Amino acid sequence: MSAATLLILDDDRRFAEATGEFARQIGLDPYPVTTLGEAMRMASRQRFDCALVDIGLPDGCGLELLAEPRLASTRKIVMSGDASLATWAGRSVPGTLGVLTKPFRFSAFRELLARTFPSPASPGSLLGRSPAMRAVVDELEAVASSRFPVLIHGESGTGKELAARLIHDRSARGGRFIAVNCAALSAELLASQLFGHRRGSFTGAVEHEEGLVAQSDGGTLFLDELAEAPPTVQAALLRFLESGEVLALGARSPKRVDARVVAATNVDPRRAIDEGRLRADLYFRVAGYEVRMPPLRERPDDIEVIAQAILDDLNREYGTARRFAPGAFDTVRGDRWRGNVRELRQRVQRAWLGGGEALVLDGPAQERPRETRDPRTLDDIEREAILDALIASDGDRAMAAARLGISTRTIYNKLARYRADAPDDPLHAAQ
Ligand SMILES: Nc1ncnc2c1ncn2[C@@H]1O[C@H](COP(=O)(O)OP(=O)(O)OP(=O)(O)O)[C@@H](O)[C@H]1O
Ligand SMILES: [Mg+2]
């Protein structure tokens, strides 16, 4: 899951940037801007999960931004140097999470955010003490200081995105970490997002828009699910990697961009090449260095450490003091862990929800139907595929549908049918 986006609007550039840096450290994806105009343009281009907005600005009033219909579902934090103005503004703007009077402590800001994003937005760090995990972290740290493009591959939920962030964080590159999911959008939208466009270059291009590649100048461009990128986008990415320049749609001259490229794929890149999905020349460009994230079943020693960290987070968040029973991991160490750490998180959550002071991990949700109904029917296989996709997408149905190549409506219909067939099935927790 990509980090929650945070728009920061404050006319004091240093303050906006420092707040952005703090937000980045706690795992958000910050967009600091200093004028109302810039903020309006940003808001027209992309969705924000949260906005931190100053009221008094040189080119207008922050309330104008907060009233934008595009920010209707955005959680808002209002700030001002004037306490009563901030309080008044906070009351009058729907969706306000809280108000901050400047100067404020970052801890106050973090507390407000923790209410919006209950499971900490922080992507955390790669945990695990197994030799396999240590070797990977050593590799990531070593390659971070170079400028080599890196290709990370590994099964879903093995921490590829965390690995990419680690490379950026240790790289001393001052720019931003920009993550792009190459599988989520149509070829046209993805190309326009990546490379940007000039006003009037196509119907609907009312604004000049800088692409994500250009925005990652000085930072890191993370191309997630690269093997799923449509062929036209792969060709354009290859041109960028070879020339170091991007050409926005409708633009006359290209722009130089110094971005470190890190890509990820959850399929074996060589197989994707053989199957004609991934261009071999793009692969060789991107895989200046290749890192394989080991699946959890190859490092069962990490299960307990990671599960404990997940439980600690839950206890902290909900004020509980639940613990794992002695031997809680004995029966699951040899499991297949198809969803890797994501599946582990789901199983710890399910155990925690079950309550009691001594938690035991159950078997994997998606393997239970097999025990009771054998041989599997086509329906079972379909059901498992849907659940796998849901686990891999952190429960996001639209993303799961995209992974499966079916419409969101279909996934909703199928889930509704499973619910109707077996209302007591614990699998519904995953839905
Ligand atoms: N070694 C680890 N330590 C702690 N948390 C981890 C670790 N590996 C993965 N996670 C957590 O598991 C979840 C999945 O990780 P991430 O999104 O990085 O996986 P991914 O490899 O990118 O998966 P996908 O291919 O499905 O996108 C995240 O919540 C992440 O924080
Ligand atoms: Mg990922």
Side-chain angles (χ1 to χ4, degrees):
M1 201 171 29
S2 55
T5 46
L6 170 71
L7 178 63
I8 300 167
L9 170 58
D10 192 285
D11 53 339
D12 178 343
R13 179 172 297 281
R14 270 199 317 203
F15 173 86
E17 282 174 2
T19 310
E21 185 48 33
F22 173 79
R24 200 168 65 78
Q25 278 167 17
I26 60 171
L28 298 167
D29 189 12
Y31 292 76
V33 291
T34 54
T35 64
L36 184 62
E38 269 177 284
M40 289 289 204
R41 276 194 295 282
M42 278 269 177
S44 69
R45 281 190 215 154
Q46 77 165 84
R47 212 184 66 79
F48 286 98
D49 296 296
C50 188
L52 176 65
V53 177
D54 192 7
I55 301 294
L57 297 158
D59 61 336
C61 171
L63 287 174
E64 267 180 75
L65 175 71
L66 295 170
E68 263 297 294
R70 287 190 204 94
L71 292 187
S73 61
T74 301
R75 309 304 303 271
K76 293 144 190 140
I77 301 175
V78 182
M79 56 183 171
S80 169
D82 178 339
S84 51
L85 178 63
T87 310
W88 170 82
R91 286 215 190 96
S92 58
V93 176
T96 299
L97 188 67
V99 293
L100 292 170
T101 308
K102 291 196 289 185
F104 57 82
R105 288 199 313 272
F106 278 142
S107 57
F109 172 48
R110 182 171 34 207
E111 269 166 39
L112 277 180
L113 288 174
R115 274 191 241 156
T116 336
F117 309 110
S119 41
S122 162
S125 48
L126 282 170
L127 300 174
R129 300 186 288 223
S130 63
M133 202 60 213
R134 281 200 206 155
V136 167
V137 171
D138 285 350
E139 263 188 284
L140 294 168
E141 286 181 342
V143 79
S145 55
S146 75
R147 296 203 28 169
F148 303 151
V150 180
L151 178 65
I152 304 168
H153 63 97
E155 291 177 14
S156 192
T158 46
K160 295 185 292 296
E161 182 149 359
L162 287 185
R165 282 181 185 275
L166 188 148
I167 293 177
H168 175 70
D169 292 344
R170 304 287 159 86
S171 70
R173 290 180 73 81
R176 288 170 43 198
F177 175 88
I178 301 231
V180 191
N181 186 337
C182 299
L185 302 167
S186 70
E188 293 71 28
L189 271 175
L190 181 60
S192 151
Q193 268 218 343
L194 280 167
F195 304 107
H197 56 251
R198 304 290 305 180
R199 188 191 345 227
S201 54
F202 59 86
T203 332
V206 282
E207 293 273 3
H208 164 70
E209 184 172 324
E210 190 178 51
L212 295 172
V213 177
Q215 288 178 38
S216 64
D217 194 17
T220 304
L221 177 66
F222 175 49
L223 300 168
D224 202 2
E225 308 217 33
L226 180 72
E228 311 308 319
T232 49
V233 173
Q234 291 194 25
L237 282 171
L238 180 64
R239 273 197 302 279
F240 163 62
L241 282 159
E242 283 178 341
S243 65
E245 295 181 335
V246 280
L247 187 65
L249 189 63
R252 266 189 235 122
S253 49
K255 181 178 175 213
R256 276 214 82 73
V257 173
D258 163 34
R260 201 294 171 70
V261 173
V262 177
T265 170
N266 56 23
V267 297
D268 176 356
R270 282 165 208 84
R271 193 141 129 219
I273 293 172
D274 289 345
E275 290 168 0
R277 283 193 289 151
L278 177 64
R279 286 179 69 125
D281 42 10
L282 178 61
Y283 163 74
F284 284 112
R285 270 280 165 188
V286 162
Y289 192 85
E290 222 175 303
V291 180
R292 173 180 177 269
M293 298 303 289
L296 201 52
R297 68 183 156 280
E298 284 180 18
R299 44 186 176 102
D301 290 349
D302 290 344
I303 293 173
E304 190 165 344
V305 182
I306 301 175
Q308 189 59 55
I310 296 170
L311 181 60
D312 289 347
D313 281 349
L314 287 168
N315 279 335
R316 205 171 310 123
E317 202 176 308
Y318 295 95
T320 51
R322 296 179 191 163
R323 267 176 294 185
F324 289 114
F329 299 95
D330 293 353
T331 56
V332 298
R333 288 173 66 83
D335 283 358
R336 200 164 166 266
W337 298 106
R338 278 197 277 187
N340 291 290
V341 178
R342 213 174 264 131
E343 178 178 341
L344 180 58
R345 178 183 301 280
Q346 200 201 36
R347 280 158 75 170
V348 172
Q349 284 170 351
R350 199 182 315 133
W352 178 87
L353 267 181
E357 291 308 310
L359 313 182
V360 179
L361 292 188
D362 278 340
Q366 71 275 26
E367 277 170 20
R368 273 186 224 147
R370 247 183 264 170
E371 293 160 18
T372 48
R373 283 200 280 156
D374 219 17
R376 293 194 297 157
T377 64
L378 197 56
D379 256 6
D380 289 337
I381 295 168
E382 180 184 89
R383 187 166 182 270
E384 270 184 37
I386 289 179
L387 279 158
D388 276 354
L390 277 167
I391 290 170
S393 316
D394 272 346
D396 183 321
R397 290 162 211 214
M399 204 193 287
R403 277 175 189 268
L404 293 164
I406 60 178
S407 71
T408 313
R409 170 172 294 279
T410 306
I411 212 165
Y412 272 96
N413 289 342
K414 300 239 180 240
L415 290 173
R417 211 192 71 215
Y418 301 150
R419 255 195 303 277
D421 287 353
D424 299 327
D425 192 319
L427 284 181
H428 300 322
Q431 298 163 19

